[in-house]
Amino acid sequence: SFLPIVAISAVASRTMSPGSRAAPLLLRRQVGLGAGGLIAAALASSVLSAGCRRGPAVKPAVRLRIGVDVWAGYGPLFIAEARGLFRARELEVRPVVPQNTSALAADLASGALDAIAVALADVINVTQRNPDIRVVLVPDESTGSDMLVGREALTGEGALRGRRLGVNFGGFGELVWKALLDRYGVRLDEVQLVDLDAAEVPDALRSGLVDAGHTWDPFAHDAQRAGAHLWLTTRETPGLVPSCVAVQGRLVRRHPEAVRGFIDAWFEAAEHWQRDVREGARLVAQAFGVAPEACGLEGITLQDRAANRALFEDDGHPGSLPGVVRSYIDHFVARGMLSSPPSVARLLDPSFL
């Protein structure tokens, strides 16, 4: 099984080699053979060759390189790998964990990755550079694990106006911040947004680079342990932050069976995690290189197959996946980040559920 490739990097250094495999090592063993040995070897070779010709052809595994954000809700990926669920479906899955959401989005846009597991909103702006992207799975919804944390306690609108607020530009954190600002009647142009990845927020708070920031566990745990105050969690914004697995359109067209097998393995692994939470957290923590207590399911609601089918239904309800995507599109268009909005029907593909 593959260990995830973990590279702590800035966006500018995201050209790291994401786990390229070395060529198989050919072992040559020289053995002295007499005449009889040569004849025996020739006969053995003939028999083996004939046997190989008669045997069934081995179907090569479909290789998938998937970028993964550091988020416990993506744990089923690593559990499926550890339990051989991908191999059982003739898939060779290689996770890449750069600890940088912008790097993941850029590598999906360029085609360097076959798929990514990130928050749904993070995929919207990717379609600007690569419109041939499909969202095929909603692994979970953030129901408390995403947080806004500040250097000081939040006492009212005065603690917000004019403050420097850390957020990953073009990502779902902007929507989380907007939910809090709307509550206090503060406009986006009355604060200063600072482009920060969630992993950078704890250090940015300590150094005073920002007054508050959007992040999630395990980074939120680190920030609070260092004295940061909790301002908001996604428990207060139901339906706003679903995650997703987004894949290249070429993968859907060339290997639909691989996409279906990947999703089947994911659901099976998620069921295993819910039966054995401790073991699941151990495997996820090992993959991310963090403590197991930072990889629990508190504040994360895993979505099973039935829940996915319901979410993908476009019933006009704002809480449906199409409704959430439309709200993201409206926000990013208003921010001037999205000039060519994606087709919601084309982006969301529930056919593998």
Side-chain angles (χ1 to χ4, degrees):
S1 63
F2 292 112
L3 290 176
I5 301 162
V6 181
I8 302 175
S9 63
V11 177
S13 62
R14 59 177 170 260
T15 56
M16 71 285 186
S17 173
S20 57
R21 275 177 295 279
L25 180 64
L26 179 62
L27 298 178
R28 295 184 177 91
R29 183 166 55 186
Q30 296 179 345
V31 181
L33 295 176
L38 288 170
I39 294 170
L43 289 173
S45 175
S46 175
V47 171
L48 286 172
S49 297
C52 289
R53 285 195 297 271
R54 287 198 298 267
V58 177
K59 184 179 179 181
V62 177
R63 296 176 178 177
L64 301 179
R65 294 180 59 249
I66 177 168
V68 187
D69 230 342
V70 180
W71 171 254
Y74 307 136
L77 174 74
F78 304 105
I79 296 170
E81 176 62 24
R83 294 180 63 81
L85 303 182
F86 292 133
R87 290 191 300 277
R89 292 168 171 85
E90 297 176 328
L91 297 175
E92 189 176 301
V93 176
R94 182 175 287 269
V96 181
V97 188
Q99 296 196 7
N100 188 304
T101 306
S102 296
L104 290 174
D107 286 343
L108 183 70
S110 70
L113 291 172
D114 299 304
I116 59 173
V118 294
L120 176 61
D122 294 330
V123 173
I124 302 301
N125 285 308
V126 174
T127 63
Q128 191 87 331
R129 291 166 285 171
N130 182 350
D132 194 22
I133 300 295
R134 306 287 186 273
V135 171
V136 296
L137 172 67
V138 174
D140 66 87
E141 180 191 341
S142 175
T143 51
S145 272
D146 275 280
M147 306 175 201
L148 303 179
V149 292
R151 300 181 70 197
E152 302 172 357
L154 178 60
T155 55
E157 62 184 74
L160 289 168
R161 282 194 173 89
R163 296 304 182 100
R164 295 159 299 169
L165 309 179
V167 66
N168 186 27
F169 281 7
F172 73 99
E174 291 194 12
L175 280 297
V176 180
W177 269 119
K178 187 174 184 301
L180 182 66
L181 295 175
D182 287 349
R183 177 185 296 181
Y184 287 96
V186 178
R187 301 189 311 272
L188 272 175
D189 61 6
E190 294 181 293
V191 299
Q192 180 183 347
L193 297 182
V194 179
D195 192 9
L196 280 180
D197 196 82
E200 299 172 310
V201 167
D203 285 342
L205 288 172
R206 280 191 287 268
S207 68
L209 177 64
V210 296
D211 299 299
H214 164 253
T215 188
W216 57 78
D217 281 333
F219 315 117
H221 178 78
D222 293 342
Q224 289 180 284
R225 191 170 53 187
H229 297 265
L230 183 63
W231 284 14
L232 181 85
T233 79
T234 45
R235 188 182 301 277
E236 303 166 69
T237 60
L240 182 64
V241 187
S243 64
C244 76
V245 171
V247 305
Q248 300 285 353
R250 66 172 186 261
L251 183 65
V252 169
R253 292 186 293 274
R254 297 175 187 173
H255 299 289
E257 76 292 344
V259 178
R260 185 169 289 107
F262 178 89
I263 292 174
D264 289 347
W266 188 292
F267 284 138
E268 185 176 339
E271 291 173 3
H272 174 78
W273 194 3
Q274 291 178 308
R275 288 194 302 268
D276 192 342
V277 175
R278 182 175 297 180
E279 173 64 7
R282 184 189 68 79
L283 291 171
V284 179
Q286 181 181 3
F288 287 144
V290 299
E293 55 267 25
C295 291
L297 290 174
E298 183 179 358
I300 297 173
T301 301
L302 297 182
Q303 305 288 2
D304 61 14
R305 191 185 301 271
N308 266 261
R309 287 171 174 166
L311 281 168
F312 274 85
E313 286 291 329
D314 194 356
D315 57 6
H317 190 275
S320 68
L321 208 61
V324 171
V325 169
R326 282 190 283 266
S327 71
Y328 292 159
I329 290 173
D330 291 344
H331 170 78
F332 292 128
V333 168
R335 286 266 284 140
M337 293 181 168
L338 196 62
S339 58
S340 302
S343 162
V344 176
R346 177 179 169 84
L347 176 65
L348 303 179
D349 186 351
S351 64
F352 299 99
L353 298 172

Short mmCIF file of all heavy atoms in Angstrom, two decimals, residues 66 68 71-77 116-120 135-142 241-246 262-263 266-267 270-271 273-274 297 300-305 307-308 311-312 321 353:
data_model
loop_
_atom_site.label_atom_id
_atom_site.label_comp_id
_atom_site.label_asym_id
_atom_site.label_seq_id
_atom_site.Cartn_x
_atom_site.Cartn_y
_atom_site.Cartn_z
N ILE A 66 -4.64 11.39 -6.39
CA ILE A 66 -5.65 12.26 -5.79
C ILE A 66 -5.02 13.15 -4.73
O ILE A 66 -4.35 12.66 -3.81
CB ILE A 66 -6.83 11.44 -5.20
CG1 ILE A 66 -7.84 12.37 -4.50
CG2 ILE A 66 -6.35 10.33 -4.27
CD1 ILE A 66 -9.14 11.69 -4.15
N VAL A 68 -5.27 15.56 -1.52
CA VAL A 68 -6.16 15.52 -0.35
C VAL A 68 -5.83 16.66 0.60
O VAL A 68 -4.67 16.82 1.01
CB VAL A 68 -6.03 14.17 0.40
CG1 VAL A 68 -7.08 14.07 1.50
CG2 VAL A 68 -6.15 13.00 -0.56
N TRP A 71 -7.94 17.10 6.34
CA TRP A 71 -9.30 17.22 6.90
C TRP A 71 -9.76 15.79 7.23
O TRP A 71 -9.71 14.91 6.38
CB TRP A 71 -10.23 17.88 5.89
CG TRP A 71 -11.69 17.88 6.20
CD1 TRP A 71 -12.66 17.13 5.63
CD2 TRP A 71 -12.36 18.72 7.17
NE1 TRP A 71 -13.89 17.42 6.16
CE2 TRP A 71 -13.73 18.40 7.11
CE3 TRP A 71 -11.93 19.69 8.08
CZ2 TRP A 71 -14.66 19.02 7.94
CZ3 TRP A 71 -12.86 20.30 8.89
CH2 TRP A 71 -14.20 19.99 8.81
N ALA A 72 -10.19 15.59 8.46
CA ALA A 72 -10.52 14.23 8.90
C ALA A 72 -11.63 13.59 8.08
O ALA A 72 -11.70 12.38 7.96
CB ALA A 72 -10.89 14.25 10.38
N GLY A 73 -12.50 14.41 7.49
CA GLY A 73 -13.59 13.87 6.69
C GLY A 73 -13.13 13.08 5.48
O GLY A 73 -13.91 12.31 4.90
N TYR A 74 -11.86 13.26 5.08
CA TYR A 74 -11.33 12.50 3.95
C TYR A 74 -10.64 11.22 4.41
O TYR A 74 -9.99 10.53 3.61
CB TYR A 74 -10.35 13.36 3.14
CG TYR A 74 -10.95 14.69 2.74
CD1 TYR A 74 -10.22 15.87 2.86
CD2 TYR A 74 -12.25 14.77 2.26
CE1 TYR A 74 -10.78 17.10 2.51
CE2 TYR A 74 -12.82 15.99 1.92
CZ TYR A 74 -12.08 17.15 2.05
OH TYR A 74 -12.63 18.36 1.71
N GLY A 75 -10.80 10.90 5.67
CA GLY A 75 -10.20 9.70 6.23
C GLY A 75 -10.54 8.40 5.53
O GLY A 75 -9.69 7.50 5.44
N PRO A 76 -11.78 8.24 5.00
CA PRO A 76 -12.09 6.98 4.31
C PRO A 76 -11.12 6.63 3.19
O PRO A 76 -10.92 5.45 2.89
CB PRO A 76 -13.50 7.22 3.78
CG PRO A 76 -14.12 8.13 4.80
CD PRO A 76 -12.99 9.06 5.19
N LEU A 77 -10.49 7.63 2.58
CA LEU A 77 -9.50 7.36 1.53
C LEU A 77 -8.36 6.51 2.08
O LEU A 77 -7.96 5.50 1.47
CB LEU A 77 -8.95 8.68 0.98
CG LEU A 77 -7.80 8.56 -0.02
CD1 LEU A 77 -8.32 8.09 -1.36
CD2 LEU A 77 -7.07 9.88 -0.17
N ILE A 116 -9.23 15.58 -6.63
CA ILE A 116 -8.90 16.19 -5.34
C ILE A 116 -10.08 16.03 -4.39
O ILE A 116 -11.23 15.94 -4.81
CB ILE A 116 -8.52 17.69 -5.44
CG1 ILE A 116 -9.66 18.52 -6.05
CG2 ILE A 116 -7.23 17.88 -6.22
CD1 ILE A 116 -9.39 20.03 -6.00
N ALA A 117 -9.75 15.99 -3.10
CA ALA A 117 -10.76 15.99 -2.04
C ALA A 117 -10.58 17.30 -1.27
O ALA A 117 -9.59 17.47 -0.55
CB ALA A 117 -10.58 14.79 -1.12
N VAL A 118 -11.52 18.22 -1.46
CA VAL A 118 -11.48 19.54 -0.84
C VAL A 118 -12.91 19.98 -0.55
O VAL A 118 -13.87 19.30 -0.90
CB VAL A 118 -10.80 20.60 -1.76
CG1 VAL A 118 -9.32 20.30 -1.98
CG2 VAL A 118 -11.53 20.69 -3.09
N ALA A 119 -13.05 21.15 0.08
CA ALA A 119 -14.38 21.73 0.25
C ALA A 119 -14.95 22.07 -1.12
O ALA A 119 -14.23 22.47 -2.05
CB ALA A 119 -14.31 22.97 1.12
N LEU A 120 -16.26 21.92 -1.25
CA LEU A 120 -16.91 22.11 -2.54
C LEU A 120 -16.65 23.49 -3.13
O LEU A 120 -16.40 23.64 -4.33
CB LEU A 120 -18.42 21.89 -2.39
CG LEU A 120 -19.29 22.12 -3.61
CD1 LEU A 120 -18.90 21.20 -4.76
CD2 LEU A 120 -20.77 21.93 -3.26
N VAL A 135 -17.83 16.97 -10.07
CA VAL A 135 -17.98 16.63 -8.66
C VAL A 135 -18.82 15.36 -8.58
O VAL A 135 -19.97 15.34 -9.02
CB VAL A 135 -18.65 17.77 -7.87
CG1 VAL A 135 -19.00 17.33 -6.45
CG2 VAL A 135 -17.74 18.99 -7.83
N VAL A 136 -18.24 14.28 -8.04
CA VAL A 136 -18.89 12.97 -8.09
C VAL A 136 -19.27 12.43 -6.71
O VAL A 136 -19.95 11.41 -6.61
CB VAL A 136 -18.00 11.94 -8.81
CG1 VAL A 136 -17.78 12.33 -10.27
CG2 VAL A 136 -16.66 11.77 -8.09
N LEU A 137 -18.82 13.10 -5.64
CA LEU A 137 -19.03 12.56 -4.30
C LEU A 137 -18.98 13.69 -3.28
O LEU A 137 -18.17 14.61 -3.40
CB LEU A 137 -17.93 11.53 -3.98
CG LEU A 137 -17.86 10.97 -2.55
CD1 LEU A 137 -19.08 10.11 -2.24
CD2 LEU A 137 -16.58 10.15 -2.37
N VAL A 138 -19.87 13.62 -2.28
CA VAL A 138 -19.81 14.50 -1.11
C VAL A 138 -19.46 13.61 0.09
O VAL A 138 -20.32 12.92 0.62
CB VAL A 138 -21.14 15.23 -0.88
CG1 VAL A 138 -21.10 16.03 0.43
CG2 VAL A 138 -21.44 16.15 -2.05
N PRO A 139 -18.20 13.61 0.52
CA PRO A 139 -17.80 12.73 1.63
C PRO A 139 -18.42 13.11 2.96
O PRO A 139 -18.74 12.25 3.78
CB PRO A 139 -16.28 12.90 1.69
CG PRO A 139 -15.89 13.46 0.36
CD PRO A 139 -17.04 14.29 -0.07
N ASP A 140 -18.59 14.44 3.19
CA ASP A 140 -19.04 14.87 4.51
C ASP A 140 -19.50 16.32 4.45
O ASP A 140 -19.33 17.01 3.44
CB ASP A 140 -17.89 14.75 5.53
CG ASP A 140 -16.75 15.71 5.22
OD1 ASP A 140 -16.82 16.86 5.68
OD2 ASP A 140 -15.81 15.32 4.49
N GLU A 141 -20.05 16.77 5.56
CA GLU A 141 -20.36 18.18 5.76
C GLU A 141 -19.70 18.64 7.05
O GLU A 141 -19.68 17.90 8.04
CB GLU A 141 -21.86 18.42 5.86
CG GLU A 141 -22.21 19.90 6.07
CD GLU A 141 -23.66 20.13 6.42
OE1 GLU A 141 -24.49 19.23 6.17
OE2 GLU A 141 -23.97 21.21 6.97
N SER A 142 -19.14 19.84 7.01
CA SER A 142 -18.56 20.42 8.22
C SER A 142 -19.70 20.93 9.10
O SER A 142 -20.43 21.84 8.72
CB SER A 142 -17.62 21.57 7.86
OG SER A 142 -17.15 22.19 9.04
N VAL A 241 -21.01 24.25 4.24
CA VAL A 241 -19.67 23.74 3.90
C VAL A 241 -19.68 22.22 3.71
O VAL A 241 -19.20 21.47 4.55
CB VAL A 241 -18.64 24.14 4.99
CG1 VAL A 241 -17.23 23.76 4.53
CG2 VAL A 241 -18.71 25.62 5.29
N PRO A 242 -20.21 21.75 2.57
CA PRO A 242 -20.00 20.35 2.22
C PRO A 242 -18.64 20.19 1.56
O PRO A 242 -18.12 21.14 0.95
CB PRO A 242 -21.12 20.06 1.21
CG PRO A 242 -21.38 21.39 0.57
CD PRO A 242 -21.09 22.44 1.61
N SER A 243 -18.04 19.03 1.72
CA SER A 243 -16.80 18.74 0.99
C SER A 243 -17.14 17.96 -0.27
O SER A 243 -18.30 17.61 -0.50
CB SER A 243 -15.83 17.97 1.89
OG SER A 243 -16.37 16.72 2.21
N CYS A 244 -16.12 17.68 -1.07
CA CYS A 244 -16.40 16.96 -2.31
C CYS A 244 -15.16 16.23 -2.79
O CYS A 244 -14.04 16.53 -2.37
CB CYS A 244 -16.89 17.91 -3.41
SG CYS A 244 -15.59 18.92 -4.16
N VAL A 245 -15.38 15.26 -3.66
CA VAL A 245 -14.32 14.70 -4.49
C VAL A 245 -14.62 15.14 -5.92
O VAL A 245 -15.70 14.84 -6.45
CB VAL A 245 -14.25 13.17 -4.39
CG1 VAL A 245 -13.27 12.61 -5.43
CG2 VAL A 245 -13.84 12.74 -2.99
N ALA A 246 -13.68 15.89 -6.49
CA ALA A 246 -13.82 16.37 -7.87
C ALA A 246 -12.79 15.67 -8.74
O ALA A 246 -11.63 15.51 -8.34
CB ALA A 246 -13.62 17.88 -7.92
N PHE A 262 -13.97 3.52 -7.05
CA PHE A 262 -13.41 4.42 -6.03
C PHE A 262 -14.49 4.83 -5.03
O PHE A 262 -14.28 4.80 -3.81
CB PHE A 262 -12.81 5.64 -6.72
CG PHE A 262 -12.24 6.66 -5.77
CD1 PHE A 262 -10.92 6.59 -5.36
CD2 PHE A 262 -13.03 7.69 -5.28
CE1 PHE A 262 -10.39 7.53 -4.48
CE2 PHE A 262 -12.51 8.64 -4.39
CZ PHE A 262 -11.19 8.55 -4.01
N ILE A 263 -15.65 5.22 -5.54
CA ILE A 263 -16.74 5.66 -4.66
C ILE A 263 -17.25 4.50 -3.82
O ILE A 263 -17.52 4.67 -2.62
CB ILE A 263 -17.86 6.29 -5.51
CG1 ILE A 263 -17.37 7.60 -6.12
CG2 ILE A 263 -19.11 6.52 -4.67
CD1 ILE A 263 -18.34 8.24 -7.09
N TRP A 266 -14.86 3.96 -1.05
CA TRP A 266 -14.96 5.07 -0.09
C TRP A 266 -16.11 4.82 0.89
O TRP A 266 -15.94 4.94 2.11
CB TRP A 266 -15.17 6.38 -0.84
CG TRP A 266 -15.09 7.59 0.05
CD1 TRP A 266 -15.97 7.95 1.04
CD2 TRP A 266 -14.07 8.59 0.05
NE1 TRP A 266 -15.57 9.11 1.65
CE2 TRP A 266 -14.41 9.53 1.06
CE3 TRP A 266 -12.91 8.79 -0.71
CZ2 TRP A 266 -13.62 10.66 1.32
CZ3 TRP A 266 -12.14 9.91 -0.44
CH2 TRP A 266 -12.49 10.82 0.56
N PHE A 267 -17.27 4.48 0.36
CA PHE A 267 -18.43 4.26 1.23
C PHE A 267 -18.19 3.08 2.17
O PHE A 267 -18.56 3.11 3.35
CB PHE A 267 -19.69 4.02 0.39
CG PHE A 267 -20.27 5.27 -0.21
CD1 PHE A 267 -20.73 5.27 -1.52
CD2 PHE A 267 -20.36 6.44 0.52
CE1 PHE A 267 -21.28 6.42 -2.09
CE2 PHE A 267 -20.90 7.60 -0.04
CZ PHE A 267 -21.36 7.58 -1.35
N ALA A 270 -15.92 4.26 4.91
CA ALA A 270 -16.62 5.15 5.84
C ALA A 270 -17.47 4.35 6.83
O ALA A 270 -17.54 4.68 8.03
CB ALA A 270 -17.49 6.13 5.06
N GLU A 271 -18.10 3.29 6.35
CA GLU A 271 -18.88 2.43 7.25
C GLU A 271 -17.97 1.77 8.27
O GLU A 271 -18.33 1.66 9.46
CB GLU A 271 -19.63 1.37 6.43
CG GLU A 271 -20.76 1.94 5.58
CD GLU A 271 -21.36 0.89 4.67
OE1 GLU A 271 -20.92 -0.29 4.74
OE2 GLU A 271 -22.25 1.23 3.87
N TRP A 273 -15.16 2.97 9.42
CA TRP A 273 -14.73 3.99 10.38
C TRP A 273 -15.79 4.23 11.45
O TRP A 273 -15.49 4.36 12.63
CB TRP A 273 -14.42 5.29 9.63
CG TRP A 273 -13.66 6.29 10.48
CD1 TRP A 273 -13.21 6.11 11.75
CD2 TRP A 273 -13.25 7.59 10.08
NE1 TRP A 273 -12.53 7.23 12.18
CE2 TRP A 273 -12.54 8.15 11.17
CE3 TRP A 273 -13.40 8.33 8.92
CZ2 TRP A 273 -12.01 9.44 11.13
CZ3 TRP A 273 -12.85 9.60 8.88
CH2 TRP A 273 -12.17 10.14 9.98
N GLN A 274 -17.04 4.27 11.03
CA GLN A 274 -18.11 4.52 12.00
C GLN A 274 -18.29 3.34 12.95
O GLN A 274 -18.74 3.52 14.09
CB GLN A 274 -19.40 4.86 11.26
CG GLN A 274 -19.32 6.22 10.58
CD GLN A 274 -20.56 6.57 9.80
OE1 GLN A 274 -21.03 5.79 8.97
NE2 GLN A 274 -21.12 7.74 10.06
N LEU A 297 -14.28 12.48 14.53
CA LEU A 297 -15.40 12.86 13.70
C LEU A 297 -16.28 13.93 14.35
O LEU A 297 -17.34 14.26 13.82
CB LEU A 297 -16.24 11.63 13.36
CG LEU A 297 -15.57 10.63 12.41
CD1 LEU A 297 -16.41 9.38 12.26
CD2 LEU A 297 -15.31 11.28 11.05
N ILE A 300 -17.94 16.78 12.26
CA ILE A 300 -17.95 16.31 10.87
C ILE A 300 -19.05 15.28 10.72
O ILE A 300 -19.12 14.32 11.49
CB ILE A 300 -16.60 15.69 10.48
CG1 ILE A 300 -15.48 16.73 10.55
CG2 ILE A 300 -16.66 15.08 9.08
CD1 ILE A 300 -14.10 16.15 10.33
N THR A 301 -19.91 15.46 9.73
CA THR A 301 -20.98 14.50 9.46
C THR A 301 -20.67 13.77 8.16
O THR A 301 -20.72 14.36 7.08
CB THR A 301 -22.34 15.21 9.35
OG1 THR A 301 -22.62 15.91 10.56
CG2 THR A 301 -23.46 14.20 9.10
N LEU A 302 -20.29 12.50 8.27
CA LEU A 302 -20.03 11.71 7.07
C LEU A 302 -21.34 11.48 6.32
O LEU A 302 -22.38 11.23 6.92
CB LEU A 302 -19.39 10.36 7.44
CG LEU A 302 -18.02 10.41 8.12
CD1 LEU A 302 -17.51 9.00 8.37
CD2 LEU A 302 -17.01 11.20 7.28
N GLN A 303 -21.27 11.54 4.99
CA GLN A 303 -22.46 11.36 4.16
C GLN A 303 -22.39 10.01 3.45
O GLN A 303 -21.43 9.74 2.74
CB GLN A 303 -22.54 12.49 3.12
CG GLN A 303 -22.50 13.88 3.71
CD GLN A 303 -23.78 14.27 4.43
OE1 GLN A 303 -24.71 13.48 4.53
NE2 GLN A 303 -23.84 15.49 4.94
N ASP A 304 -23.40 9.17 3.66
CA ASP A 304 -23.42 7.87 3.01
C ASP A 304 -24.04 7.98 1.62
O ASP A 304 -24.34 9.08 1.12
CB ASP A 304 -24.17 6.84 3.87
CG ASP A 304 -25.63 7.21 4.12
OD1 ASP A 304 -26.16 8.11 3.41
OD2 ASP A 304 -26.24 6.61 5.01
N ARG A 305 -24.23 6.84 0.98
CA ARG A 305 -24.71 6.85 -0.40
C ARG A 305 -26.11 7.47 -0.50
O ARG A 305 -26.38 8.28 -1.40
CB ARG A 305 -24.72 5.42 -0.96
CG ARG A 305 -24.95 5.36 -2.47
CD ARG A 305 -25.07 3.91 -2.93
NE ARG A 305 -23.89 3.14 -2.63
CZ ARG A 305 -22.83 3.02 -3.44
NH1 ARG A 305 -22.81 3.67 -4.59
NH2 ARG A 305 -21.80 2.26 -3.11
N ALA A 307 -27.54 9.62 1.51
CA ALA A 307 -27.45 11.06 1.75
C ALA A 307 -26.91 11.78 0.52
O ALA A 307 -27.36 12.87 0.17
CB ALA A 307 -26.57 11.34 2.96
N ASN A 308 -25.92 11.17 -0.16
CA ASN A 308 -25.38 11.77 -1.38
C ASN A 308 -26.45 11.89 -2.46
O ASN A 308 -26.57 12.94 -3.12
CB ASN A 308 -24.21 10.94 -1.89
CG ASN A 308 -22.86 11.44 -1.42
OD1 ASN A 308 -22.16 12.15 -2.12
ND2 ASN A 308 -22.53 11.09 -0.18
N LEU A 311 -28.64 14.76 -1.62
CA LEU A 311 -27.98 16.06 -1.74
C LEU A 311 -27.88 16.51 -3.20
O LEU A 311 -28.03 17.70 -3.50
CB LEU A 311 -26.57 15.99 -1.14
CG LEU A 311 -26.46 16.08 0.37
CD1 LEU A 311 -25.05 15.71 0.82
CD2 LEU A 311 -26.80 17.49 0.84
N PHE A 312 -27.63 15.58 -4.11
CA PHE A 312 -27.44 15.94 -5.51
C PHE A 312 -28.76 16.30 -6.20
O PHE A 312 -28.74 16.84 -7.30
CB PHE A 312 -26.77 14.79 -6.27
CG PHE A 312 -25.26 14.81 -6.21
CD1 PHE A 312 -24.59 14.22 -5.15
CD2 PHE A 312 -24.51 15.40 -7.21
CE1 PHE A 312 -23.21 14.21 -5.07
CE2 PHE A 312 -23.12 15.41 -7.15
CZ PHE A 312 -22.47 14.82 -6.08
N LEU A 321 -27.38 20.44 -2.94
CA LEU A 321 -26.05 20.71 -3.48
C LEU A 321 -26.09 21.73 -4.62
O LEU A 321 -25.29 22.67 -4.64
CB LEU A 321 -25.40 19.40 -3.93
CG LEU A 321 -23.87 19.36 -3.89
CD1 LEU A 321 -23.36 19.58 -2.48
CD2 LEU A 321 -23.37 18.04 -4.44
N LEU A 353 -23.29 7.23 -8.15
CA LEU A 353 -23.78 6.94 -6.82
C LEU A 353 -24.77 5.78 -6.81
O LEU A 353 -25.22 5.36 -5.76
CB LEU A 353 -24.45 8.20 -6.23
CG LEU A 353 -23.52 9.40 -6.05
CD1 LEU A 353 -24.32 10.62 -5.66
CD2 LEU A 353 -22.47 9.10 -4.99
#
